[in-house]
Amino acid sequence: MEKTSTDAFPSTIYSSEKQETVCIFGTGDFGRSLAFKMLQCNYSIVFGSRNPQKSSLLPHGAEIFSYSEAAQKSDIIIIAVHREHYDFLKELTEVFKGKILVDISNNLKINQYPESNAEYLAHLVPGAHIVKAFNTISAWALQSGTLDANRQVFVCGNDSHAKQRVMDIVRTLGLTPLDQGSLMAAKEIENYPLQLFPMWKFPFYLSAILCVFFFFYCVIRDIIYPYVNSKKDITFRLAISIPNRIFPIAALTLLALVYLPGVIAAILQLYRGTKYRRFPDWLDHWMLCRKQLGLVALGFAFLHVLYTLVIPIRYYVRWTLKNRTITQATAKTQDLFSTSTAWLSDSYVALGILGFFLFVLLGITSLPSVSNMVNWREFRFVQSKLGYLTLILCTAHTLVYGGKRFLSPASLIWYLPSAYVIALIIPCTVLVIKFILILPCIDKTLTRIRQGWERNSKPTSDGQYLKQSSIHLDSQL
């Protein structure tokens, strides 16, 4: 059994020993919250302010001085002011020599300036050691004890010793420092808090396109056609029936799109005969969004389950059953029991239940708190093997739903097939190609390629192979 490291679970350290003195320039919300957190951890805090006499609401135990006086009392200075107010720092260049300046600023827009705020600060005070940190943590997170917020603090800087001292402070505060390298990474770190669901945009846009397309498709078939053909007004189906057709279609399509990029990548590797060539950017981005695609698909599956559960209490369904019962009782007739129909109905429901169960299992294992507890082989088994089994069950669920009507000419309306028939195109394509890829003759070659073999490698004098590609990308498929 592996031993769990306590470093993986940082907590606030309330040490009885007095910590070093830290200077904070700026008495705004974040500066005060950070000071309060540091005081809890036995740091001595001095504030630097342009108006020391007018500053109020400071944490108890902190001192406040002018900028120059405060800077002389500590060799670690946290700059908690906006970039547009950095000009006064040039006057303190001599005081800052050899000191560590921690830039915590963010901008209002992504790539607002040509260089990062931290690099701009390094240009203003060249004698100081600039470290970028704390910009991904909010004042609220510091005040709430970081129990309900992100603990990760990205840190970067050119001086390893200065960066290490800042990371030690981060750990003492109960946060998790992540070393991002040199100060060149500061711009990316500053853009990070400004990004709005960067990995979710593609899944959301794709889901919206699918829903809009199938909504109008179903409206044409199920609402407009009956009205044009027989003047029937069944627009009430827009509330339950139409959405309950769109949601499972979107769920199945998105689930298939989770596994389609892996199939495309495998075909590319077979075609190229090597894994040492970069995939196209669109395919790279698609593969990075697979988790988000799967979670959105799971959300649609949940909606499908909920909408299906309310079907028996709908007025239209109750009215139809009541009138059918009265009509059969009056006419003294009954529907004959069909064993084949019963088999199709029960199989359809059973496949749906099993598929949804595995769908939920995939969603649970994708959560960081769960995925961190399993090894790579276990995670790959769930997400790959059980993932394809889920796709098979959900595709079979849709096929059985069609039953005897599947591809029947009678099911065509204005030459348009049922929506579920269109929804089966991508899942069936993915499953057929995947079946071809796992054939022994193809799988053996693909496995060799992923282990480093290249079709066009040239043997050298010592029997080794010369790699002709300079770009190396070991993609996880």
Side-chain angles (χ1 to χ4, degrees):
M1 181 179 294
E2 295 181 2
K3 185 178 179 180
T4 303
S5 172
T6 56
D7 293 340
F9 306 97
S11 58
T12 303
I13 302 174
Y14 296 100
S15 173
S16 59
E17 298 181 0
K18 198 66 176 177
Q19 302 284 353
E20 59 188 324
T21 298
V22 176
C23 174
I24 299 178
F25 277 13
T27 56
D29 291 339
F30 189 87
R32 295 197 306 269
S33 300
L34 185 58
F36 179 77
K37 188 72 174 176
M38 287 184 166
L39 286 168
Q40 287 183 326
C41 299
N42 278 334
Y43 282 96
S44 296
I45 300 298
V46 293
F47 278 100
S49 175
R50 58 189 172 188
N51 296 312
Q53 294 80 13
K54 296 182 180 180
S55 298
S56 59
L57 302 177
L58 298 181
H60 179 71
E63 298 179 280
I64 185 166
F65 303 94
S66 65
Y67 287 130
S68 59
E69 292 177 313
Q72 294 174 5
K73 295 182 178 295
S74 175
D75 59 349
I76 296 182
I77 304 170
I78 298 176
I79 310 298
V81 297
H82 294 288
R83 170 175 173 150
E84 52 265 29
H85 304 305
Y86 279 1
D87 290 341
F88 77 94
L89 298 174
K90 290 189 292 186
E91 302 172 1
L92 304 173
T93 302
E94 292 299 323
V95 181
F96 287 153
K97 279 189 177 180
K99 294 183 182 290
I100 300 172
L101 269 60
V102 183
D103 178 64
I104 66 171
S105 63
N106 283 318
N107 296 317
L108 298 177
K109 299 178 181 179
I110 294 178
N111 297 327
Q112 184 173 352
Y113 300 102
E115 73 287 320
S116 66
N117 296 346
E119 290 172 312
Y120 175 67
L121 180 59
H123 175 72
L124 287 179
V125 283
H129 304 298
I130 309 301
V131 177
K132 186 74 183 183
F134 292 113
N135 69 302
T136 56
I137 298 293
S138 65
W140 173 84
L142 293 170
Q143 293 171 3
S144 64
T146 69
L147 295 178
D148 300 320
N150 188 2
R151 290 175 171 267
Q152 295 180 344
V153 176
F154 298 119
V155 182
C156 71
N158 294 332
D159 187 275
S160 58
H161 175 69
K163 190 164 52 175
Q164 187 60 50
R165 289 191 61 184
V166 175
M167 292 173 67
D168 290 340
I169 294 176
V170 173
R171 292 190 186 93
T172 305
L173 298 183
L175 304 170
T176 304
L178 297 178
D179 190 348
Q180 299 297 298
S182 70
L183 210 59
M184 293 178 61
K187 192 166 188 177
E188 182 179 353
I189 295 176
E190 291 172 1
N191 287 336
Y192 179 78
L194 301 175
Q195 296 175 349
L196 182 63
F197 304 115
M199 301 306 298
W200 291 87
K201 288 183 180 180
F202 173 67
F204 283 155
Y205 288 152
L206 182 60
S207 302
I209 292 172
L210 285 174
C211 289
V212 170
F213 171 79
F214 282 106
F215 173 80
F216 285 107
Y217 190 89
C218 292
V219 166
I220 292 172
R221 277 183 46 92
D222 302 335
I223 295 180
I224 296 179
Y225 175 80
Y227 182 79
V228 172
N229 192 50
S230 54
K231 300 299 180 182
K232 289 183 179 179
D233 182 8
I234 52 176
T235 52
F236 63 88
R237 291 189 174 182
L238 288 170
I240 299 294
S241 299
I242 299 298
N244 202 30
R245 293 190 181 185
I246 296 173
F247 294 149
I249 290 173
L252 179 60
T253 304
L254 291 175
L255 179 62
L257 291 176
V258 171
Y259 295 96
L260 181 57
V263 170
I264 295 175
I267 294 174
L268 280 176
Q269 288 182 336
L270 285 171
Y271 174 76
R272 295 170 173 175
T274 179
K275 70 172 184 177
Y276 298 109
R277 288 182 61 184
R278 186 178 296 278
F279 294 132
D281 291 339
W282 59 267
L283 183 57
D284 270 336
H285 183 69
W286 188 355
M287 295 180 74
L288 290 174
C289 292
R290 287 182 295 179
K291 174 182 175 179
Q292 288 76 14
L293 282 170
L295 291 176
V296 174
L298 179 59
F300 280 118
F302 263 110
L303 287 174
H304 174 49
V305 171
L306 294 176
Y307 270 66
T308 303
L309 291 176
V310 303
I311 288 178
I313 65 175
R314 293 178 61 200
Y315 168 76
Y316 170 73
V317 174
R318 290 185 286 112
W319 178 86
T320 302
L321 291 175
K322 181 174 67 174
N323 278 270
R324 185 174 182 179
T325 302
I326 294 174
T327 301
Q328 289 184 341
T330 303
K332 296 182 179 180
T333 60
Q334 63 178 349
D335 294 330
L336 297 176
F337 181 80
S338 173
T339 303
S340 61
T341 303
W343 264 107
L344 284 174
S345 176
D346 287 359
S347 300
Y348 158 72
V349 174
L351 289 169
I353 293 174
L354 292 174
F356 182 69
F357 168 76
L358 292 180
F359 219 145
V360 173
L361 183 62
L362 290 175
I364 293 174
T365 54
S366 68
L367 297 175
S369 57
V370 178
S371 60
N372 290 338
M373 301 301 294
V374 297
N375 59 39
W376 170 244
R377 186 176 182 182
E378 294 167 342
F379 181 79
R380 185 179 179 184
F381 172 79
V382 172
Q383 294 295 324
S384 181
K385 302 297 189 298
L386 292 186
Y388 273 105
L389 179 59
T390 304
L391 183 59
I392 291 173
L393 290 174
C394 292
T395 304
H397 170 69
T398 307
L399 284 168
V400 176
Y401 168 77
K404 300 175 182 179
R405 300 169 297 161
F406 188 70
L407 295 180
S408 171
S411 65
L412 298 177
I413 295 179
W414 283 340
Y415 302 103
L416 298 176
S418 298
Y420 70 86
V421 176
I422 299 178
L424 286 169
I425 295 175
I426 297 179
C428 290
T429 301
V430 172
L431 291 175
V432 169
I433 298 177
K434 181 62 178 178
F435 176 76
I436 295 174
L437 291 175
I438 62 176
L439 293 175
C441 56
I442 298 178
D443 182 64
K444 182 179 179 180
T445 303
L446 187 59
T447 301
R448 291 181 64 195
I449 290 174
R450 291 175 178 172
Q451 291 176 346
W453 174 80
E454 295 184 272
R455 184 185 299 124
N456 297 324
S457 295
K458 296 179 180 180
T460 60
S461 57
D462 58 354
Q464 299 296 321
Y465 284 93
L466 202 59
K467 300 195 181 301
Q468 296 182 340
S469 212
S470 60
I471 301 177
H472 295 264
L473 177 64
D474 190 7
S475 299
Q476 298 172 355
L477 305 178

